Amino acid sequence: MNYDTKINNSKDKENITMSKTIVKVTKSGNRYNAVDKDGVKYTGQITTGARKRAFANGTALEQRVNKSGKNYWWAVPMSEFEATQVPVIPVPSVDVPSGHSEILNFIHSSYDLKPKGLVMKELKWKYLVRSAVRGKNILMTGPAGCGKTMASKSLVNSLDRPDFYFNLGATQDPRATLIGNVHFDKKKGTYFSESVFVKAIQTPNAVILLDELSRAHPDAWNILMTVLDQGQRYLRLDESDGQETINVAEGVTFVATANIGNEYTSTRVMDKALMDRFIIVEMDVLTDSEESGLLQYMFPHLEKDLLDNVAEISHTTRMEAKSDSGKLSTGISTRTAVEMAGLLYDGFALNEAAEVTIYPQFADDGGIDSERTFVKQLVQKYVSDGSDENLFNEQDIESDK
């Protein structure tokens, strides 16, 4: 994975051996993957823009550490990546076996493929991998910010398969995204240009991510009906001259994500017939200890007690939202907790991080009885080292009237 280079320390004139990680960016479908010489993927650690630029410029990316101890990626000549390779030894890949006994062994040993940054129970991860290996359509459900998209992308990174990503929630024209467009050219006249999705479903053993399926336009659902049906598995190109029918290639797996519930006002009630074409993997909401462990993994330089406070604040809001007599209508997501920890890492205080990430999520209607006041009081307990003193003194308020 790594190779060693020696850097001279000007202070004590000693040679210190530091480990480098250099990756090469390759294109798989419409996704840019970053892998080191051993085939280990670092895709999730590098921004999409950095990967695209490296691929377009033919450069490698080297992991470096800045003065504050935070990792970043720097473009370096491809020759530096090639120098890390041992040419006589082929790079191994994760091949999905075909025999039943080999598949059983692969599925039940697959938990080692799960990245540490994804908190997911072993049973559900194995079920997710098994469903992909068996070519099932998978629907990831759970509240916003719980890790559905991350789990889907982690599955892709764990399998050596071509992958494609489509955000259906951001699609304004489903037919153009899923089928294609009719264009006019002065020389060619009117012609049909098929979409990337058409190319994706014709790629054998591809994993196709359909993000935000619950926010998609109903036209997208109608188009996907025959594609997802195990008894049909085709897409009709209505816009093309001959109304060509495209069959889904062998081994193609669809992984979709959806937010299901009354609190997601921009989502649509998903068609039962569409949902019936998927097996459902429900993401669990993290406990406070699980969330604290995740934050410690992501921000190892921060104090454990500080990250415990963030996790406890998040967990308390979720428990309040679930309670029949709770004072909150919604809880803080793990995504928000990660953002808070990031602000703490960048030097913001806990109350400052809460003010810009948490408070705007809660209404302040009702004065001292509002949801925002409740959350402020909750945060204040941790800001003031565990004191349960109210943020607003109700007696003083009464005496001022």
Side-chain angles (χ1 to χ4, degrees):
M1 183 189 304
N2 302 322
Y3 76 102
D4 291 333
T5 182
K6 289 186 176 181
I7 300 177
N8 186 61
N9 189 313
S10 59
K11 291 184 179 179
D12 54 17
K13 303 301 182 182
E14 292 180 355
N15 285 330
I16 301 173
T17 300
M18 298 185 69
S19 181
K20 274 188 179 181
T21 299
I22 298 181
V23 298
K24 177 182 179 180
V25 178
T26 59
K27 190 174 182 181
S28 174
N30 64 348
R31 197 156 184 252
Y32 295 82
N33 292 317
V35 296
D36 70 3
K37 70 181 182 66
D38 295 319
V40 177
K41 288 188 177 182
Y42 288 81
T43 305
Q45 300 181 27
I46 308 172
T47 64
T48 303
R51 284 182 275 125
K52 284 185 176 181
R53 286 192 297 272
F55 180 81
N57 297 330
T59 60
L61 294 172
E62 177 186 323
Q63 188 180 50
R64 298 183 178 181
V65 180
N66 62 21
K67 293 181 180 179
S68 62
K70 191 172 183 180
N71 291 330
Y72 68 98
W73 293 86
W74 187 261
V76 295
M78 188 60 69
S79 58
E80 294 200 26
F81 171 80
E82 293 167 352
T84 68
Q85 294 183 300
V86 183
V88 295
I89 301 176
V91 177
S93 61
V94 182
D95 293 323
V96 178
S98 55
H100 184 245
S101 59
E102 290 84 0
I103 289 177
L104 286 179
N105 182 62
F106 178 79
I107 292 171
H108 293 284
S109 62
S110 64
Y111 199 60
D112 293 336
L113 299 175
K114 184 188 72 67
K116 292 181 180 179
L118 173 65
V119 181
M120 190 174 185
K121 290 182 173 59
E122 184 173 357
L123 172 62
K124 292 195 175 182
W125 174 260
K126 289 180 178 178
Y127 182 45
L128 182 62
V129 171
R130 179 263 176 189
S131 301
V133 169
R134 292 299 188 186
K136 304 290 185 180
N137 302 323
I138 304 165
L139 180 63
M140 308 289 297
T141 66
C146 69
K148 298 183 295 297
T149 302
M150 182 181 181
S152 303
K153 292 183 176 179
S154 297
L155 173 67
V156 169
N157 290 336
S158 299
L159 304 176
D160 188 19
R161 293 184 172 186
D163 58 279
F164 298 83
Y165 176 84
F166 301 93
N167 190 324
L168 298 182
T171 301
Q172 301 298 320
D173 187 350
R175 299 191 70 80
T177 300
L178 299 176
I179 296 178
N181 274 318
V182 175
H183 301 278
F184 176 78
D185 184 89
K186 290 182 179 179
K187 295 180 179 180
K188 297 180 181 179
T190 301
Y191 67 97
F192 172 74
S193 176
E194 66 183 27
S195 67
V196 176
F197 182 76
V198 173
K199 297 181 177 67
I201 66 174
Q202 296 180 85
T203 305
N205 298 313
V207 180
I208 300 176
L209 303 184
L210 304 175
D211 208 5
E212 303 284 2
L213 183 62
S214 53
R215 292 180 180 270
H217 192 280
D219 283 352
W221 297 349
N222 292 333
I223 294 169
L224 291 170
M225 283 291 190
T226 56
V227 175
L228 298 170
D229 193 311
Q230 294 293 341
Q232 300 181 68
R233 302 282 279 184
Y234 71 83
L235 175 65
R236 189 178 300 280
L237 305 184
D238 297 332
E239 310 292 344
S240 64
D241 292 338
Q243 293 192 353
E244 183 181 2
T245 297
I246 303 296
N247 292 318
V248 178
E250 184 178 356
V252 172
T253 298
F254 294 92
V255 183
T257 67
N259 294 322
I260 300 175
N262 294 331
E263 63 181 304
Y264 304 108
T265 56
S266 294
T267 62
R268 295 178 171 87
V269 178
M270 290 184 61
D271 188 285
K272 178 64 177 175
L274 180 69
M275 291 188 64
D276 196 49
R277 285 161 166 75
F278 292 94
I279 62 98
I280 296 176
V281 177
E282 184 180 30
M283 292 293 292
D284 295 316
V285 176
L286 303 189
T287 64
D288 51 351
S289 60
E290 289 173 336
E291 193 157 87
S292 178
L294 172 63
L295 296 178
Q296 289 171 49
Y297 170 76
M298 298 180 70
F299 302 94
H301 300 290
L302 285 177
E303 293 182 8
K304 180 180 181 299
D305 290 346
L306 196 57
L307 295 176
D308 283 344
N309 289 344
V310 174
E312 288 175 18
I313 291 170
S314 301
H315 180 69
T316 302
T317 63
R318 292 196 284 263
M319 291 301 98
E320 279 292 326
K322 288 179 64 176
S323 173
D324 291 337
S325 58
K327 296 182 178 181
L328 299 178
S329 59
T330 186
I332 300 170
S333 69
T334 297
R335 182 185 294 132
T336 299
V338 170
E339 177 62 19
M340 280 188 68
L343 288 170
L344 297 177
Y345 181 80
D346 288 334
F348 290 84
L350 181 61
N351 61 320
E352 293 174 328
E355 184 173 345
V356 295
T357 61
I358 298 179
Y359 301 160
Q361 299 184 34
F362 298 92
D364 58 358
D365 300 336
I368 62 172
D369 294 324
S370 69
E371 291 190 354
R372 184 172 298 188
T373 299
F374 178 86
V375 175
K376 284 184 176 181
Q377 290 175 323
L378 171 63
V379 172
Q380 190 68 16
K381 292 180 181 179
Y382 296 90
V383 171
S384 57
D385 298 324
S387 170
D388 60 356
E389 185 176 86
N390 283 338
L391 181 61
F392 300 99
N393 190 317
E394 296 183 23
Q395 292 181 350
D396 290 345
I397 294 175
E398 289 294 333
S399 62
D400 289 340
K401 288 183 178 180

